[in-house]
Amino acid sequence: MSFDPARFRAEFPILSREIYGKPLVYLDNAASVQKPRVLIDEMTRLMTHSYANVHRGLHALSNETTTAFEEARQTAQTYLNAASADEIIFTMGGTDAMNLVSYVLGQDEIGEGDEIILSVMEHHSNIVPWHFLRERKGAVLKWLDVDADGNVDLDAYREMFSSRTKLVAMSAQSNVLGAFPPIKEMAAIAHEHGALFLADGCQHAVHGPVDVQDLGVDFYVMTGHKAYGPTGIGVLFGRKAILDRLPPYRGGGEMIDIVEQERITYNEPPHRFEAGTPPIMEAIGLGASLRWLMEQDISGLKAYERELTDHAMEALGRSNIATVYGAAPDKGPVIAFNLGQAHPHDVSTILDRQGVAVRAGHHCCQPLMKKLGVTATARASFTAYNTHADIEALVDACAKAHDMLG
């Protein structure tokens, strides 16, 4: 079945509402996407029909919920093509997942003088946890530069490694420039130097299933709310051989095996890293969203998102009022821009009054903003429920903001 944008859009009830008397044009998808009916129905069903705590109960509701929860883990395994469901850890989101990796690696594997390679276009969620290791363990952060479009110089990247390099943490898609770094090649280079590789896939995984085995990464992070799922849920993929040797993240129920007054022993992964009652409904809801997404014509979906991005880039360029940041020909559906000297917050406010929702600020990417020579930008981001009419509404609203703000 070929991709049908109208049918896809019809799955999102919120898109029928109006803002200030105008049809909602939601272009803040890089921050969080709207929710399909399948997710709404599944979470409603859980709350009204089949909810209980998981794993330890023996009654019918607990057994039903445990089965659904573990099926969601298997769905995430399929979506990421992990070798085993034991490589899938449910977290509270992408930020929580990266903090988990930082904490457990910082226990025994990364210490004083050990090096972590980051890029200047990382989201703060993939910067601050590594600063914790710099502050608390004496780790050294090394920064990979990118060009204005987010392209990576692989030769310069190779030169950054030393015998002390323990980890590379890299976005799989920039949330500002839309750039897709060559993760597969970069992971292979890291492994040649004995370093681990973490890919931040929070912007990447929304565009369709991911093959972590092909990418060759050691860790892959995704968040639910950007992948048509609920908030409060994320997925961390970790290679089992690595997870097996790592200590727990938090202490509590489920992550233990034996608890005595004098000793404790820990559960096997993934449960070792899932202390306490997990986000049960959120995980099951994410599973429903991912199954629904995998039923779509993914190649058609990606091609349609490409059409929208090309349309927006061409239309904003033709308007001669916008400075666009990041123009790689294969960029993802994210456009950061400014209108002259107008502050992005003012631009966003005027666009909102036209029913057009965009982001404004530094997008949790202050090192990248510094490189681009700005303090903030506006950002329009698209997904497959957007339309070409949405793009025209964006351009028209930008023209009005430009006229008002000079």
Side-chain angles (χ1 to χ4, degrees), residues 100-116:
L100 188 162
V101 177
S102 170
Y103 179 87
V104 298
L105 290 181
Q107 294 303 294
D108 299 307
E109 307 221 356
I110 297 179
E112 186 172 1
D114 290 333
E115 298 168 353
I116 301 167

Side-chain angles (χ1 to χ4, degrees), residues 380-399:
S381 48
F382 321 110
T383 191
Y385 53 58
N386 289 123
T387 67
H388 288 283
D390 289 346
I391 306 302
E392 293 301 327
L394 167 67
V395 175
D396 289 346
C398 283

Side-chain angles (χ1 to χ4, degrees), residues 36 52 99 174 208 242 301:
N99 276 273
S174 168
I242 298 172
L301 181 152

Side-chain angles (χ1 to χ4, degrees), residues 317-338:
R318 174 168 30 90
S319 71
N320 292 318
I321 61 173
T323 299
V324 173
Y325 303 94
D330 60 346
K331 68 178 291 179
V334 177
I335 298 179
F337 65 94
N338 277 322

Side-chain angles (χ1 to χ4, degrees), residues 368-381:
L368 180 58
M369 293 294 111
K370 183 176 181 179
K371 176 181 175 57
L372 296 175
V374 297
T375 57
T377 74
R379 183 186 68 187
S381 48

Side-chain angles (χ1 to χ4, degrees), residues 54 83 86-87 89 99 113 116-117 123 140 154 190 195 197 216 218 252 310 375 403:
V54 294
D86 292 341
E87 297 181 320
I89 299 165
N99 276 273
I116 301 167
I117 296 176
H123 189 280
V140 176
L154 288 179
F197 194 98
D218 301 294
D310 289 345
T375 57
D403 291 343

Side-chain angles (χ1 to χ4, degrees), residues 101-102 104-118 130 133 137-142 157 160-170 186-187 189-198 218-219 239 242 245-246:
V101 177
S102 170
V104 298
L105 290 181
Q107 294 303 294
D108 299 307
E109 307 221 356
I110 297 179
E112 186 172 1
D114 290 333
E115 298 168 353
I116 301 167
I117 296 176
L118 311 173
W130 315 116
L133 294 188
K137 304 287 289 189
V140 176
L141 304 188
K142 301 178 75 172
Y157 171 67
M160 298 182 70
F161 287 86
S162 78
S163 61
R164 300 300 301 271
T165 306
K166 295 298 181 69
L167 176 73
V168 178
M170 180 71 56
M186 296 180 79
I189 292 168
H191 292 155
E192 289 171 6
H193 292 85
L196 299 174
F197 194 98
L198 177 146
D218 301 294
F219 301 101
R239 283 202 296 119
I242 298 172
R245 74 180 191 232
L246 294 176

